[in-house]
Amino acid sequence: MTNEALELSINLVWVMLGAFLVFFMHTGFAMVEAGFTRSKNAVNILIKNILTISIGGIVYFVAGYAIMFGDTAGGFVGISGFFLHGVEDIGFFIFQAMFAATCATIISGAVAERTNIMAYMVIVVVMTLFVYPVVGHWIWQGDGWITQLGFIDFAGSTVVHLTGAVGAFVAAAMIGPRIGKYTKNRVNVIPGHSIPLGALGVFILWLGWFGFNGGSTLAADPEAVPSVIASTFLAAAAAVVATAFYTKLRYRYIDGSLTLNGALAGLVSITAGAANVSIIGSIIIGLLAGPILVEGVRLIEHRLKVDDPVGAIAVHGLCGIWGTLAIGFFDVANGLFYGGGLAQLGVQAIGVVAVIAWTAVAVFASLSLIKVFMPLRVSREEEIGGLDITEHGANAYEFQQETFKGLVPNESFAHRLTTAGTKQTSA
């Protein structure tokens, strides 16, 4: 084997490892969403996540990849490579397919607990067929019009996360809040059923992000890869610390779910500039992501009255915007703090506005069309009963009446236990 062939093989292994880690991130998304929502909807969450990666991967193979990376038509859309015809680098397709599904799955958490699963599957098709690929073509294809402006988004703070978050915001607003979330001017907390599951999901996502950002180098570069992974780790760590202390000041206690989401806020924020900012810059970006997350959740839930059970819109949307704009300040080549002026910040802002406008219009139009053929949300009775039973005919957990059956001789005592469990589950 020649040195060149060996180098190609090593690079391929690195990118494939990145793809495996990004695939594993979908386990993290499933655990975060399941843990931060009620137990009566856990099966629904799991099924939506496995359908997302499956449907999204097939759709991206058929047309999404071609629209994203095919020969350009005016810098706006790809027009070649459908069904991977003529595509030689299958490894790159696999890596990018994981990203496409990640973008789509962001919507899952924001619309959890009240969405018709059939409508959700159509949303996944819409996102992976043309909404996300068009954004990717603009920014990651060499001839894309935003790329030509000098826009920087190394691994997808805007391409993946902001696109998914805008789609999630539009979908959550159109579908409406969960029953009981808002009563008059009051915002009610609907707690998730398992913080440990949510925490497991966060740690899995943090691990997967090393492949998400590190694999985006597309080569096992001994200089670039350690730097990118160090920036990724430290930004997330800084965001966790910032979120913990900020919630302590804001609410007098360290909020558990927000602090866990703080790690994701830091990861989203550094994704755009992981290869373009210094280690110190990445820490500052992460520190500021914490307060942005906390105030963003309040803005979305209390001011805009959009019900997002897992905080996906704030994490992926507002922190995605922050991470993209932060390049204008911290980019070591052209950032404001490095003598580059405001030009890079202006380009970053143009890209953010363009992506928000395209995604919002495309998703709104798609959902309006979907609504003609099927309901976007389940009925009131189905929502109250839980989507596990009404959509899937199964429960995620064994209920107490089965646990105590035949074990408790006093039937009235067993009845009180099961009644209390039922009330707690439905709360």
Side-chain angles (χ1 to χ4, degrees):
M1 179 176 286
T2 64
N3 289 338
E4 182 180 1
L6 180 60
E7 182 179 356
L8 288 172
S9 296
I10 293 172
N11 290 340
L12 174 62
V13 170
W14 172 244
V15 173
M16 288 297 93
L17 176 61
F20 301 158
L21 286 171
V22 179
F23 175 86
F24 190 50
M25 287 175 70
H26 289 267
T27 307
F29 281 116
M31 294 300 99
V32 167
E33 294 172 25
F36 287 173
T37 54
R38 289 168 289 186
S39 61
K40 64 182 180 180
N41 299 306
V43 173
N44 182 255
I45 292 291
L46 301 177
I47 296 302
K48 283 198 302 181
N49 275 271
I50 200 167
L51 283 172
T52 300
I53 188 71
S54 303
I55 295 172
I58 293 172
V59 171
Y60 195 69
F61 159 74
V62 171
Y65 183 84
I67 292 172
M68 188 163 175
F69 290 106
D71 296 333
T72 190
F76 289 94
V77 64
I79 56 174
S80 66
F82 294 91
F83 292 92
L84 299 186
H85 180 71
V87 174
E88 297 181 357
D89 192 350
I90 304 300
F92 183 69
F93 157 74
I94 291 294
F95 186 68
Q96 292 298 330
M98 301 302 108
F99 278 58
T102 299
C103 176
T105 205
I106 291 169
I107 298 176
S108 172
V111 301
E113 301 200 287
R114 75 274 199 193
T115 303
N116 177 2
I117 194 168
M118 300 304 294
Y120 174 77
M121 286 191 279
V122 179
I123 293 171
V124 171
V125 172
V126 167
M127 292 299 295
T128 53
L129 179 64
F130 66 91
V131 175
Y132 168 77
V134 166
V135 172
H137 189 84
W138 291 356
I139 296 173
W140 282 348
Q141 214 276 358
D143 297 322
W145 73 271
I146 296 181
T147 299
Q148 295 299 310
L149 298 177
F151 184 85
I152 297 173
D153 186 4
F154 172 67
S157 287
T158 288
V159 176
V160 179
H161 298 284
L162 179 57
T163 301
V166 173
F169 179 84
V170 173
M174 291 183 68
I175 293 170
R178 291 168 291 173
I179 296 170
K181 180 63 179 178
Y182 299 105
T183 53
K184 295 183 179 180
N185 294 323
R186 181 180 176 182
V187 181
N188 300 309
V189 176
I190 303 178
H193 83 281
S194 177
I195 293 299
L197 268 186
L200 174 64
V202 168
F203 278 108
I204 290 173
L205 286 169
W206 197 338
L207 170 65
W209 231 288
F210 295 139
F212 198 95
N213 287 357
S216 293
T217 59
L218 302 180
D221 189 320
E223 293 185 7
V225 170
S227 176
V228 166
I229 292 179
S231 294
T232 300
F233 169 69
L234 291 172
V240 169
V241 173
T243 305
F245 279 95
Y246 190 78
T247 56
K248 178 68 173 177
L249 293 173
R250 192 82 160 79
Y251 306 116
R252 299 182 185 177
Y253 58 85
I254 296 176
D255 187 278
S257 60
L258 283 174
T259 301
L260 289 169
N261 260 338
L264 307 184
L267 292 164
V268 170
S269 298
I270 197 57
T271 295
N276 300 83
V277 304
S278 68
I279 298 292
I280 298 298
S282 70
I283 293 174
I284 296 172
I285 290 171
L287 288 172
L288 293 175
I292 290 172
L293 166 68
V294 176
E295 296 304 324
V297 168
R298 288 186 59 83
L299 170 67
I300 291 163
E301 284 200 346
H302 292 256
R303 301 296 181 185
L304 302 180
K305 295 292 192 296
V306 174
D307 182 15
D308 177 3
V310 302
I313 298 168
V315 167
H316 299 276
L318 297 181
C319 293
I321 292 172
W322 159 237
T324 304
L325 296 179
I327 292 175
F329 298 102
F330 295 100
D331 178 48
V332 295
N334 298 305
L336 177 64
F337 297 153
Y338 292 84
L342 293 171
Q344 188 64 52
L345 180 61
V347 170
Q348 298 300 109
I350 291 171
V352 165
V353 171
V355 170
I356 292 174
W358 156 251
T359 306
V361 171
V363 173
F364 177 80
S366 299
L367 287 173
S368 298
L369 181 61
I370 293 169
K371 191 164 60 171
V372 173
F373 299 96
M374 66 183 71
L376 296 181
R377 69 181 294 159
V378 298
S379 69
R380 177 182 178 85
E381 292 74 17
E382 290 173 325
E383 182 177 344
I384 293 173
L387 302 187
D388 288 0
I389 291 295
T390 59
E391 295 270 24
H392 310 287
N395 290 311
Y397 303 100
E398 182 182 17
F399 286 112
Q400 286 181 335
Q401 57 261 39
E402 296 297 327
T403 301
F404 290 102
K405 185 177 180 180
L407 297 179
V408 181
N410 188 331
E411 291 186 3
S412 62
F413 175 65
H415 176 72
R416 290 198 302 272
L417 285 175
T418 56
T419 302
T422 303
K423 289 181 179 178
Q424 184 179 16
T425 300
S426 62

